[in-house]
Amino acid sequence: IAPTGHSLKSLDLVTMKKLDSKVNIIPIIAKSDAISKSELTKFKIKITSELVSNGVQIYQFPTDDESVAEINGTMNAHLPFAVIGSTEELKIGNKMMKARQYPWGTVQVENEAHCDFVKLREMLIRVNMEDLREQTHSRHYELYRRCKLEEMGFKDTDPDSKPFSLQETYEAKRNEFLGELQKKEEEMRQMFVQRVKEKEAELKEAEKELHEKFDRLKKLHQDEKKKLEDKKKSLDDEVNAFKQRKTAAELLQSQGSQAGAASSSCSSPQGRAWRLRAGDQR
């Protein structure tokens, strides 16, 4: 709590009201050296009055145990605690202590005449630690657990405010949950079957398209193959015709060469003598 010396802020009250059912609240006035002792006393009384009037439940040190009843009763009267903090250590006398240095003097953190830090430490760590744990478990956790169970539908009373067995509520909720689970499982199974069927239909359609594409490619291949075979046959026919023409040309050339040789032999003297003898013989 800020040491304003006046009253609590609305935000502080709202925050503590929200938290008092969830955690143990111990109000503390920070930087208590910022106000005088008389102002601090009035400020504590004002804070306590406002907490009570706004219904904020703060942690009260227990007084039912005789061993700590007296000290806890005294400490309850000191609430809220006024504390001072410091990260610096100063030498005071022969000891190093946490303190704050001001031009007008030194404020010691662990000096009970200066602040309530030692009282707060004693109450939280050495005297009431176990009670704080017990309060957290038996009050705050159980309240949290009860609220959560009620949100889930588990109540210890029926709609007519009569006692109701928690076991029966549990069994009813369990059966309801199992029914919903089975329903969801059936819906998921049907959805899975539907998706499998859709996937099978897609695969069959894709397979059909592949077969059709394969048939088209096969037919196209066969047509191309037939065209190539026809073209090859045509080329073979042309080659054979060319060979025949070549053979005929070579034959004519050979005959022409032979005829040329014969005419050359007739024009020579021996040829003329031979022709004369042939004519005499006739």
Side-chain angles (χ1 to χ4, degrees):
I1 301 171
T4 60
H6 303 292
S7 61
L8 288 171
K9 297 178 182 178
S10 299
L11 180 60
D12 294 335
L13 289 171
V14 172
T15 303
M16 286 190 283
K17 187 63 179 176
K18 289 287 186 181
L19 293 177
D20 64 357
S21 61
K22 299 177 176 63
V23 296
N24 297 311
I25 295 179
I26 300 176
I28 296 173
I29 302 172
K31 300 179 180 180
S32 61
D33 56 338
I35 55 178
S36 64
K37 289 290 184 180
S38 59
E39 290 176 339
L40 183 60
T41 302
K42 293 178 181 179
F43 191 37
K44 284 186 175 185
I45 297 173
K46 182 70 173 177
I47 289 174
T48 304
S49 174
E50 289 185 353
L51 292 175
V52 172
S53 62
N54 286 277
V56 177
Q57 300 293 325
I58 64 173
Y59 176 74
Q60 295 287 332
F61 300 117
T63 56
D64 51 354
D65 188 350
E66 294 181 357
S67 60
V68 294
E70 183 178 354
I71 186 173
N72 281 347
T74 304
M75 290 301 107
N76 283 331
H78 281 81
L79 289 173
F81 291 117
V83 300
I84 301 167
S86 176
T87 58
E88 299 179 358
E89 288 189 353
L90 301 177
K91 188 174 183 180
I92 301 174
N94 296 326
K95 296 182 179 180
M96 298 296 293
M97 297 182 178
K98 295 284 186 181
R100 299 179 71 89
Q101 184 69 50
Y102 293 103
W104 56 85
T106 303
V107 180
Q108 300 174 26
V109 174
E110 297 185 11
N111 190 332
E112 294 190 38
H114 295 176
C115 72
D116 298 331
F117 177 79
V118 175
K119 296 182 179 67
L120 176 64
R121 182 179 62 189
E122 292 289 325
M123 290 298 97
L124 294 184
I125 298 176
R126 298 182 181 179
V127 180
N128 297 300
M129 176 67 75
E130 191 60 35
D131 185 71
L132 285 166
R133 292 176 178 173
E134 183 64 26
Q135 285 287 329
T136 301
H137 178 75
S138 61
R139 181 186 172 196
H140 300 299
Y141 173 71
E142 288 299 327
L143 181 60
Y144 166 80
R145 179 173 174 270
R146 181 186 180 89
C147 292
K148 285 299 180 181
L149 288 174
E150 289 180 354
E151 289 178 4
M152 297 170 61
F154 296 99
K155 297 182 180 180
D156 55 0
T157 57
D158 58 11
D160 298 329
S161 298
K162 295 180 180 180
F164 191 72
S165 173
L166 186 61
Q167 182 65 26
E168 294 179 4
T169 305
Y170 171 76
E171 291 295 335
K173 287 291 181 182
R174 182 175 181 273
N175 294 332
E176 182 182 352
F177 174 75
L178 291 177
E180 293 178 357
L181 185 63
Q182 186 175 4
K183 182 180 179 181
K184 289 182 179 179
E185 184 178 356
E186 181 64 23
E187 291 176 355
M188 291 180 66
R189 189 186 67 81
Q190 293 179 359
M191 185 183 298
F192 176 76
V193 172
Q194 181 65 25
R195 290 185 177 180
V196 169
K197 290 182 179 179
E198 292 175 357
K199 196 65 177 178
E200 287 180 350
E202 292 178 2
L203 291 175
K204 288 182 179 179
E205 185 67 23
E207 184 179 6
K208 182 180 178 181
E209 292 178 358
L210 286 174
H211 280 300
E212 292 177 354
K213 185 176 181 180
F214 175 76
D215 292 339
R216 288 196 303 270
L217 292 175
K218 184 177 180 180
K219 187 175 183 301
L220 182 62
H221 173 71
Q222 291 176 349
D223 293 341
E224 291 291 334
K225 184 178 180 181
K226 185 177 179 181
K227 288 180 181 179
L228 290 174
E229 289 177 351
D230 293 342
K231 191 173 183 180
K232 181 182 178 183
K233 183 178 180 182
S234 176
L235 290 174
D236 290 340
D237 293 340
E238 290 180 2
V239 169
N240 292 331
F242 175 75
K243 288 181 178 180
Q244 291 176 0
R245 289 196 300 272
K246 182 180 179 182
T247 302
E250 290 177 349
L251 181 60
L252 290 175
Q253 186 178 2
S254 175
Q255 291 176 353
S257 298
Q258 291 178 358
S263 61
S264 298
S265 62
C266 290
S267 60
S268 64
Q270 291 83 357
R272 287 194 298 269
W274 181 79
R275 284 195 300 273
L276 289 173
R277 284 196 298 271
D280 291 341
Q281 288 178 0
R282 283 195 298 267

